Amino acid sequence: MLASHPEKRISFNRSISYGDLVIVYERHDNMKAVTVSEGSVLQNRFGVFKHSDWIGKPFGGKVFSSKGGFVYLLAPTPELWTLVLSHRTQILYIADISLVVMNLEIVPGCLVLESGTGSGSLTTSLARAVAPKGHVYTFDFHEQRAALARDDFERTGLSSLISVGVRDIQGKGFPDEFIGKADSVFLDLPQPWLAIPSAAKMLKQDATLCSFSPCVEQVQRSCDALQSCFTDIRTFEVLLRQYEVREEKMESFHGDDNGSNGSLSRKRRQCSDGNYVLSDSTSSVMARPCGEARGHTGYLTFARLKCFL
Amino acid sequence: MSSTENINKSSSRITWEGCSVLLDINDGDRLVFARLSPAAKLKIGNKNCSLQPLIGCPFGTVFQLDTSDSDGPFLSPFQPKGDVNNTDEIKDGHFQAESKDDQPNSESKDNRSLIDNNTAQSLTGEDIEDMRRQGAKGNEIIEALIANSATFDKKTSFSQEKYRLKKQKKYAPRVLIRRPVARSICEAYFKKYPLKIGFLRVDTLSLLLSMANVSSNSDILVVDMVGGLLTGAVAERLGGTGFVCNSYLGQTPHSMDIVRIFNLSDEICKRIVRSSISDLLSPKESRPQNPKQDVGSVESQSIDQMSVSVSMEEASHSPENGISDIGAENTTFPALKAYKATKAGEKASQEILDSWKENGFSSLIIAAPDLDTWTVVRDLLPLLSNSAPFAIYHQYLQPLATCMHNLQLEKMAIGLQITEPWLREYQVLPSRTHPHMQMSAFGGYILSGTKICSS
């Protein structure tokens, strides 16, 4: 998925071959991750697509089904992966993910601790941010979920950047081997305040922590727990509003011939009083917010380890 | 400076001589970018103090202005005794003890007996100056002010806390050393001088970097008319791999002042290159033949060199070496430029240009409030590899709507979306949790999508 592997990096000359992970794009709200393999087919409402037909085609191109329907094949990115991954838990989406990576100040080479792993949506973006030399150690107490996450990271080509551990972080804290080594800690746990004392031990001085919680009561208790060792404690909520764009024709009326624009299409219309008026039909591109949106994901609480001299 | 030393410094959590810092004075009241040197001085109120004590300290250290010494005011490290709160209050141990047995709900005091007639304080300005002359520390003055306030005891514990904080800011100002990274630089500019960064809010910047899949080893094409903030943020994420190509229309590169505020290592700076859009668009192999263009680029280079040498002079004569207040009239950072001649922003070599023409850029980010969005996108999009993501920032919706519509008509991209982020901060305190009373109502719009093959 990442450009760190030169042979997998997108370019004008890069074409699809067996073993590649591709994102099959039908519409912006309908995508699917597919690993291209010999003898396989993809079946959807547009018909049957043979993987063998895709070999040698460029990424970002159209491919056709037996019935003549088409889809686009895209190179995977963490953003696309977030939209297609299988949900084993509630996941983090792009707005929260982006703010987490920015506010945790994660850059290449960082060592990041995460718990829980969940479906690995955030983990994928954390891996991108620490690549090529950093590492993400992510922990989940659920053995099967950890194993599935490992499989996913293998599939997305990130396994060299991510280690998945099975561990109850709320109960046992992070492993001692990371004491004083972490640049950032991310917590998405039902009772994050239980893990905060351990997180504080893991962090380097002035290093950052983030806790994600859907409920304000969780935030309250976390902030309380953060007081003793952390500073710069700030809680945010980030949401996105999407816009739809349309070209609409609109008519405008003029009482006389003057002042009308020559480029507009124009009709003469007879009004009820017998006079003629001009009807101009103009078309313009307009945008408006989409009617529905995600109204809440969670609160993000950021903090920085206090600096003791 | 050896290169390994340099790499260590760029990720260092300890300041060094010549390092760039963000000084947060009195909890964000004033934000100052400075380059640390023994000669650098910072003016707080009417006191000038040396930044020397800040060299070699961990980032995150808090200093307090000490005026008790007869040799003049100086900054001394400050260790908060009690807890540091997430709103604006820094409580000290005394208040901490009080608030523990005094639950917010059981508070019986209120403001009924407070009358605003300006007679509550019996200490005069002269009394305070006398104390100062006798070497009283800031904290001692604050205690004296409280002892001489007729109304302090009648205040609720919250307003006592507020009073204490107000006096602390005046008589014992505090300076926090922050690391200048994309987040802190963006937040500082957004708070004090948003015009310079085109009103680009930190959550919007973070989305641009995600949506454009900025990751190590990628070649990112940017049009940065937000002072270099975008270029610096991308370079930070590349970590000395790949390239960020800062492109510009016409002959004159856009300003990249803000890049110098980041503590980018030489390795990272080398990965920031510049190219005119016309050089990027000219077909491969054909060297730019246009004589006018050649003159232009040479000229712009010599202007660069000139501005560096001019600012060197400025720096050596300026008493306030290396200090610049955001939002103050002098918004370039002459001393920053001079201290370390960063190599960021060299002209892209023909070899690199050719490799981009051969392989395409990995992604594109535009933050160019002054350019026509659609025509820039139309020209630059073909330079991207197939399936490359892109993200366009604008503070107005209409240019993005028009651009999105045209991209759809021309079938140049899919997954097109216009997004407006919304960011709200919360005050979290026992029984007093609520959103902040004031918030930024607008952080800009982003048009994002994925380039498809032209068929």
Side-chain angles (χ1 to χ4, degrees):
Chain A
M1 178 179 293
L2 299 181
S4 331
H5 308 280
E7 75 284 4
K8 293 281 182 190
R9 182 174 164 171
I10 56 165
S11 91
F12 287 134
N13 307 315
R14 166 107 160 83
S15 55
I16 294 166
S17 49
Y18 286 120
D20 281 342
L21 176 68
V22 299
I23 306 295
V24 175
Y25 176 102
E26 288 180 33
R27 274 167 43 132
H28 73 89
D29 55 355
N30 198 348
M31 290 182 239
K32 195 182 175 191
V34 173
T35 302
V36 183
S37 44
E38 240 169 316
S40 292
V41 294
L42 168 79
Q43 202 155 3
N44 65 15
R45 61 200 165 110
F46 297 115
V48 179
F49 296 81
K50 280 196 259 176
H51 287 198
S52 56
D53 292 347
W54 300 352
I55 304 305
K57 292 266 165 55
F59 278 98
K62 263 187 209 175
V63 290
F64 294 87
S65 73
S66 47
K67 291 198 311 202
F70 69 87
V71 294
Y72 290 96
L73 301 181
L74 302 182
T77 67
E79 282 62 46
L80 292 173
W81 182 252
T82 288
L83 299 174
V84 297
L85 57 79
S86 30
H87 289 212
R88 298 178 285 269
T89 54
Q90 184 64 254
I91 66 163
L92 261 75
Y93 291 96
I94 185 167
D96 290 305
I97 291 173
S98 305
L99 197 65
V100 166
V101 175
M102 173 65 88
N103 281 7
L104 286 181
E105 299 171 4
I106 301 174
V107 294
C110 280
L111 190 154
V112 179
L113 303 179
E114 181 197 32
S115 183
T117 311
S119 308
S121 171
L122 173 70
T123 321
T124 305
S125 285
L126 294 176
R128 169 175 66 188
V130 303
K133 292 194 179 134
H135 204 87
V136 181
Y137 295 90
T138 181
F139 299 92
D140 206 300
F141 60 21
H142 195 285
E143 198 145 340
Q144 187 208 11
R145 217 147 53 205
L148 288 169
R150 251 181 241 122
D151 293 347
D152 275 355
F153 302 141
E154 197 67 50
R155 193 174 177 208
T156 48
L158 299 175
S159 46
S160 62
L161 295 163
I162 305 170
S163 302
V164 187
V166 180
R167 190 178 170 97
D168 173 15
I169 298 297
Q170 282 185 183
K172 293 159 74 185
F174 289 98
D176 284 350
E177 58 179 298
F178 299 114
I179 289 177
K181 297 222 170 92
D183 293 287
S184 304
V185 171
F186 178 83
L187 304 175
D188 180 357
L189 297 168
Q191 296 164 290
W193 53 91
L194 297 176
I196 284 172
S198 160
K201 276 199 261 171
M202 304 299 137
L203 288 169
K204 297 178 181 171
Q205 58 184 351
D206 197 42
T208 50
L209 172 138
C210 176
S211 174
F212 174 92
S213 299
C215 302
V216 79
E217 289 78 6
Q218 294 169 299
V219 175
Q220 192 83 62
R221 291 194 69 171
S222 304
C223 284
D224 235 31
L226 287 167
Q227 295 295 329
S228 58
C229 296
F230 289 84
T231 179
D232 235 344
I233 306 163
R234 297 175 72 185
T235 300
F236 295 95
E237 192 180 12
V238 62
L239 294 171
L240 296 183
R241 180 182 234 185
Q242 309 285 356
Y243 284 78
E244 47 187 50
V245 173
R246 287 232 168 78
E247 187 172 17
E248 302 272 10
K249 283 211 185 335
M250 284 173 298
E251 294 195 338
S252 56
F253 295 95
H254 295 278
D256 55 63
D257 271 355
N258 300 327
S260 58
N261 188 323
S263 67
L264 306 170
S265 68
R266 196 180 298 158
K267 273 187 290 192
R268 272 186 169 255
R269 276 204 197 161
Q270 198 172 18
C271 291
S272 50
D273 61 0
N275 288 327
Y276 283 96
V277 294
L278 280 174
S279 158
D280 292 338
S281 164
T282 61
S283 79
S284 32
V285 175
M286 295 184 291
R288 61 156 219 170
C290 299
E292 267 186 55
R294 197 172 280 127
H296 181 64
T297 54
Y299 300 100
L300 290 167
T301 299
F302 295 95
R304 193 177 279 287
L305 193 66
K306 249 185 225 173
C307 202
F308 293 103
L309 296 170
Chain B
M1 186 186 298
S2 81
S3 73
T4 47
E5 197 184 342
N6 200 272
I7 288 167
N8 290 340
K9 278 187 173 173
S10 76
S11 61
S12 172
R13 295 187 174 272
I14 306 222
T15 64
W16 63 95
E17 190 180 332
C19 108
S20 160
V21 293
L22 172 56
L23 301 177
D24 182 331
I25 303 164
N26 278 339
D27 251 311
D29 284 0
R30 222 179 119 205
L31 297 167
V32 176
F33 288 115
R35 205 168 275 282
L36 297 183
S37 75
K41 290 224 186 310
L42 172 71
K43 197 169 182 186
I44 306 175
N46 54 4
K47 309 276 189 302
N48 250 318
C49 47
S50 165
L51 292 182
Q52 165 84 60
L54 277 60
I55 300 173
C57 283
F59 281 102
T61 310
V62 179
F63 285 79
Q64 185 158 299
L65 185 67
D66 192 330
T67 50
S68 61
D69 201 285
S70 53
D71 294 341
F74 65 98
L75 290 168
S76 69
F78 171 80
Q79 190 68 71
K81 276 171 266 164
D83 294 348
V84 180
N85 209 303
N86 69 328
T87 56
D88 9 44
E89 307 106 315
I90 296 179
K91 308 183 220 167
D92 69 23
H94 174 65
F95 172 73
Q96 196 59 28
E98 194 178 63
S99 76
K100 282 223 168 97
D101 28 73
D102 202 9
Q103 287 302 306
N105 293 340
S106 62
E107 183 79 57
S108 58
K109 293 171 194 165
D110 56 32
N111 62 4
R112 75 184 76 204
S113 60
L114 295 184
I115 303 155
D116 185 10
N117 58 6
N118 217 8
T119 60
Q121 182 55 254
S122 56
L123 277 188
T124 64
E126 273 173 43
D127 295 339
I128 295 168
E129 269 315 302
D130 278 348
M131 286 184 72
R132 275 203 169 139
R133 270 191 292 274
Q134 286 156 26
K137 291 199 181 234
N139 290 342
E140 290 161 12
I141 296 176
I142 296 166
E143 290 311 319
L145 283 165
I146 289 170
N148 287 283
S149 163
T151 50
F152 186 80
D153 290 336
K154 300 196 186 81
K155 290 172 191 274
T156 65
S157 58
F158 301 132
S159 60
Q160 285 182 348
E161 193 179 339
K162 258 176 147 173
Y163 182 89
R164 204 175 268 281
L165 183 75
K166 215 170 94 187
K167 299 301 171 194
Q168 173 257 305
K169 284 182 170 183
K170 184 159 178 201
Y171 295 104
R174 284 178 195 159
V175 179
L176 163 66
I177 320 175
R178 288 189 188 275
R179 231 150 50 106
V181 293
R183 175 198 184 182
S184 60
I185 295 172
C186 184
E187 280 184 341
Y189 269 100
F190 193 79
K191 193 169 172 191
K192 300 292 183 190
Y193 189 24
L195 182 68
K196 167 103 180 176
I197 55 164
F199 300 88
L200 182 61
R201 205 171 53 199
V202 69
D203 50 323
T204 318
L205 176 61
S206 76
L207 277 165
L208 288 174
L209 299 173
S210 292
M211 287 167 163
N213 192 22
V214 176
S215 56
S216 55
N217 289 299
S218 354
D219 293 341
I220 316 285
L221 178 59
V222 305
V223 185
D224 177 344
M225 293 173 78
V226 291
L229 174 64
L230 181 60
T231 308
V234 171
E236 192 180 81
R237 292 269 173 111
L238 293 177
T241 65
F243 281 100
V244 47
C245 176
N246 180 303
S247 65
Y248 53 94
L249 207 60
Q251 313 301 327
T252 325
H254 306 305
S255 151
M256 295 203 314
D257 290 351
I258 295 176
V259 170
R260 298 186 179 91
I261 298 174
F262 289 78
N263 277 318
L264 299 178
S265 66
D266 288 352
E267 291 304 305
I268 297 177
C269 285
K270 271 188 243 160
R271 301 302 178 142
I272 302 176
V273 294
R274 276 173 165 157
S275 174
S276 74
I277 289 177
S278 57
D279 282 353
L280 289 169
L281 293 175
S282 68
K284 202 186 154 189
E285 247 84 72
S286 79
R287 301 287 183 272
Q289 295 302 317
N290 187 342
K292 207 167 132 197
Q293 210 168 30
D294 271 343
V295 172
S297 50
V298 169
E299 210 168 53
S300 72
Q301 273 182 352
S302 63
I303 287 170
D304 268 359
Q305 281 163 7
M306 213 160 67
S307 71
V308 169
S309 61
V310 165
S311 53
M312 289 265 206
E313 256 171 37
E314 267 176 30
S316 51
H317 293 148
S318 159
E320 283 195 272
N321 184 2
I323 310 294
S324 85
D325 236 302
I326 316 176
E329 262 177 48
N330 172 20
T331 47
T332 55
F333 303 93
L336 287 190
K337 266 187 218 168
Y339 203 93
K340 183 176 133 196
T342 355
K343 284 189 274 305
E346 300 263 329
K347 196 167 180 290
S349 67
Q350 191 60 43
E351 194 190 341
I352 304 176
L353 285 173
D354 285 347
S355 96
W356 288 330
K357 283 164 194 173
E358 169 95 20
N359 298 306
F361 285 97
S362 329
S363 67
L364 165 71
I365 309 178
I366 300 178
D370 303 334
L371 297 183
D372 177 60
T373 307
W374 161 238
T375 49
V376 177
V377 171
R378 184 195 58 201
D379 289 350
L380 293 185
L381 214 55
L383 299 173
L384 303 192
S385 300
N386 298 316
S387 196
F390 59 88
I392 324 291
Y393 168 79
H394 213 288
Q395 46 171 319
Y396 292 99
L397 180 56
Q398 194 56 46
L400 296 185
T402 306
C403 183
M404 173 163 161
H405 185 69
N406 289 334
L407 286 170
Q408 279 167 340
L409 289 180
E410 307 277 330
K411 296 193 167 52
M412 292 169 79
I414 53 171
L416 290 164
Q417 260 182 329
I418 295 179
T419 308
E420 180 194 0
W422 182 90
L423 182 71
R424 178 174 238 177
E425 185 165 3
Y426 284 77
Q427 166 184 301
V428 182
L429 289 170
S431 309
R432 286 187 290 157
T433 294
H434 60 70
H436 278 192
M437 298 299 185
Q438 292 291 322
M439 68 182 273
S440 152
F442 182 62
Y445 300 101
I446 302 169
L447 168 62
S448 60
T450 303
K451 187 212 168 195
I452 52 174
C453 296
S454 46
S455 42

